[in-house]
Amino acid sequence: MYKLLSHNDLDGVGCGILAKLAFQDQVKVKYNSISTLDREIEFFLDNNEQDTFLFITDLSPNEENERRLNDYYIATGNVQLLDHHKTAFHLNDYEWGKVLIEDEKGYLTSATSLFYQYLVTHGYLEQKNSITEFVELVRQYDTWEWEKNDNQQARRLNALFFLVSIEEFEEKMLERLKTSEHFDFDEFEKKILKMEEEKIERYIRRKKRELVQTSIGEYFTGVVYAESYHSELGNELGKENVHLDFIAILNMGGKRISFRTIHDHIDVSAIAAEFGGGGHQKAAGCSLTDEAYEQYVAQIFHIAPIPEDAKRNRYNLRFSSFGTMYKNLKGEFFLLYSISDFDWIIEKNKIPLDQIFTSFYEAEWFLKRNYQAWLVKDELFVDYLMEEAKKVRHQE
């Protein structure tokens, strides 16, 4: 017999699907949150026969259970842990632990891809196009390669995962992977996924108007309250606010924080680890501890959201030869313009700042981080130009 303890997200459930393909009715699968894994490990070690082989995927145990699992492995040899999180790297010290963040080809791994490789290598499962394609979609979504590759199939797979129950998702995927040569969605799934995409777009539009900007430690952070679509929301807010180091998404009902970044130089798993959480470089999370509540709720609750940049301008545009106008919540106006190909200036209320910038993007990045200013609508910009034109005529 086999037992699999795995995470309850797409990557963790992907491992459960592979286990059922490989071992069929000889495996029992239990999906867990980060906080419930150790209870399940303890139950297994206290109640199972020693001929049961235990797999743990996409999650890692606490120190006490590390020792107990090692004792179980020494006695039986029946433990294998597979993970890809940096916070679990120390488990490679055990013979039963394999934690691999990047494979030999330089690709980021997922628990599903590691488990698939394990099952094929040990002869438990034969390679098949549909299974390989499914595993790759899970891997790309979990590692955020899908965003870089614009792999919408991977994003849709995760959306489908949240649209149905885990049991229904498992059943659909098992049947499809057993009978189909290649992986794809059926017509009904395509229709409901299109409806879901439209719903997500409306949700994100609303949440964009609620984003708060603040500085926490060395980072400039965007904070928003949301209970749904954290990955899509974090990605969109990050792309529209590139001056922010990361986005913190607070789920007050679940008492958790999700961290997302689009930047390669930011590691949000390290930020989550400060509060006992973990995850990946660009996507991580933690419980809303007292310390996290103080930093991400209490200290910033009074801050007003930052308005969005004007979207339909014809005149007040980035790189305009007339300059580009911004405004902040204090009512201060800023004009960003070039004085040469490599020198850009910011005027605050018509008084130049001391800094000179080497590019438009560098100047705008500084302006948005330090003054929380947004691109104003054409009307304000045109009024400003007309006022300046009148001054010139009067001087003449």
Side-chain angles (χ1 to χ4, degrees):
M1 285 294 295
Y2 299 90
K3 179 72 177 279
L4 171 68
L5 300 178
S6 193
H7 200 191
N8 57 5
D9 66 354
L10 175 64
D11 192 27
V13 174
C15 294
I17 291 167
L18 293 180
K20 291 183 177 182
L21 285 172
F23 304 117
Q24 301 178 51
D25 60 355
Q26 294 299 302
V27 64
K28 293 182 180 179
V29 177
K30 178 75 174 181
Y31 299 117
N32 304 271
S33 65
I34 295 171
S35 60
T36 62
L37 173 69
D38 286 301
R39 184 174 67 235
E40 290 297 327
I41 291 174
E42 291 166 6
F43 182 85
F44 172 85
L45 294 173
D46 291 340
N47 296 280
N48 278 275
E49 300 290 336
Q50 292 198 346
D51 60 353
T52 301
F53 195 105
L54 176 65
F55 290 104
I56 302 172
T57 55
D58 207 32
L59 291 170
S60 56
N62 61 25
E63 291 184 9
E64 173 61 26
N65 280 330
E66 281 181 35
R67 291 190 288 270
R68 294 193 64 189
L69 286 168
N70 198 49
D71 291 340
Y72 184 79
Y73 177 80
I74 292 171
T76 68
N78 290 341
V79 183
Q80 179 65 62
L81 178 141
L82 297 166
D83 198 5
H84 63 128
H85 296 99
K86 185 163 59 176
T87 49
F89 203 70
H90 64 283
L91 296 173
N92 282 321
D93 293 340
Y94 298 101
E95 290 184 28
W96 46 267
K98 181 177 181 179
V99 181
L100 188 66
I101 300 170
E102 187 177 288
D103 67 18
E104 63 278 0
K105 295 181 180 178
Y107 292 107
L108 294 174
T109 65
S110 70
T112 301
S113 66
L114 291 172
F115 196 37
Y116 185 45
Q117 182 184 46
Y118 176 92
L119 293 172
V120 171
T121 301
H122 288 78
Y124 296 122
L125 189 62
E126 290 187 8
Q127 278 189 314
K128 183 181 176 183
N129 288 336
S130 58
I131 301 175
T132 301
E133 291 161 4
F134 169 79
V135 169
E136 179 60 9
L137 291 178
V138 174
R139 187 195 70 81
Q140 286 204 29
Y141 186 83
D142 200 64
T143 61
W144 278 84
E145 272 188 34
W146 76 268
E147 203 273 335
K148 181 173 64 177
N149 300 331
D150 193 28
N151 189 336
Q152 295 302 313
Q153 286 288 86
R155 182 187 60 77
R156 291 187 184 106
L157 180 63
N158 186 69
L160 180 64
F161 173 75
F162 282 102
L163 282 172
V164 299
S165 67
I166 288 179
E167 293 75 19
E168 186 177 352
F169 183 81
E170 267 191 336
E171 184 180 347
K172 284 176 174 286
M173 294 304 111
L174 284 169
E175 179 64 23
R176 193 161 308 171
L177 298 179
K178 288 176 182 177
T179 59
S180 302
E181 183 60 29
H182 292 281
F183 182 85
D184 198 4
F185 303 109
D186 62 33
E187 290 305 312
F188 176 72
E189 289 167 350
K190 289 175 181 177
K191 288 180 180 178
I192 63 170
L193 285 169
K194 187 176 185 302
M195 294 171 59
E196 181 70 1
E197 287 167 4
E198 293 170 352
K199 180 180 176 183
I200 292 171
E201 287 177 8
R202 293 193 298 271
Y203 185 80
I204 290 175
R205 280 200 302 271
R206 187 170 82 250
K207 289 300 171 182
K208 283 179 180 178
R209 299 192 291 269
E210 300 174 7
L211 183 68
V212 170
Q213 177 176 326
T214 188
S215 57
I216 298 178
E218 62 184 294
Y219 300 108
F220 284 84
T221 307
V223 181
V224 67
Y225 293 90
E227 295 190 350
S228 307
Y229 311 121
H230 287 186
S231 293
E232 295 86 351
L233 180 61
N235 187 52
E236 191 66 26
L237 290 176
K239 288 193 296 185
E240 286 215 0
N241 299 276
V242 295
H243 65 288
L244 297 175
D245 295 314
F246 64 89
I247 306 297
I249 306 170
L250 278 67
N251 181 346
M252 299 305 289
K255 296 183 179 179
R256 289 193 59 79
I257 307 180
S258 296
F259 299 100
R260 298 291 187 273
T261 185
I262 63 168
H263 301 295
D264 293 334
H265 67 283
I266 301 295
D267 184 356
V268 292
S269 69
I271 296 166
E274 295 176 11
F275 308 106
H280 305 292
Q281 177 194 342
K282 295 189 175 184
C286 67
S287 296
L288 190 60
T289 63
D290 290 342
E291 184 182 357
Y293 179 88
E294 179 64 25
Q295 288 190 24
Y296 288 93
V297 181
Q299 292 184 14
I300 66 172
F301 189 76
H302 64 284
I303 301 175
I306 52 173
E308 294 182 77
D309 288 333
K311 292 288 192 295
R312 298 179 180 85
N313 284 353
R314 295 174 58 194
Y315 305 108
N316 188 33
L317 303 171
R318 290 177 169 86
F319 300 103
S320 169
S321 58
F322 298 105
T324 308
M325 179 171 281
Y326 300 80
K327 182 183 178 182
N328 68 6
L329 291 169
K330 295 180 180 179
E332 298 168 328
F333 283 92
F334 303 85
L335 190 67
L336 196 171
Y337 59 93
S338 63
I339 55 176
S340 72
D341 290 342
F342 302 103
D343 294 311
W344 295 78
I345 297 290
I346 297 174
E347 287 185 4
K348 174 185 173 185
N349 293 333
K350 301 183 180 181
I351 299 174
L353 301 181
D354 293 334
Q355 296 92 331
I356 296 178
F357 305 93
T358 59
S359 70
F360 177 90
Y361 291 115
E362 181 188 358
E364 186 183 55
W365 183 85
F366 174 88
L367 180 59
K368 285 181 169 290
R369 282 170 77 95
N370 293 280
Y371 292 98
Q372 300 187 27
W374 68 92
L375 191 73
V376 301
K377 293 181 179 180
D378 275 344
E379 290 85 347
L380 285 172
F381 183 58
V382 171
D383 287 346
Y384 166 81
L385 291 179
M386 291 176 65
E387 182 184 331
E388 292 301 304
K390 288 178 183 178
K391 290 180 181 178
V392 171
R393 284 200 298 269
H394 288 321
Q395 290 172 358
E396 293 174 349

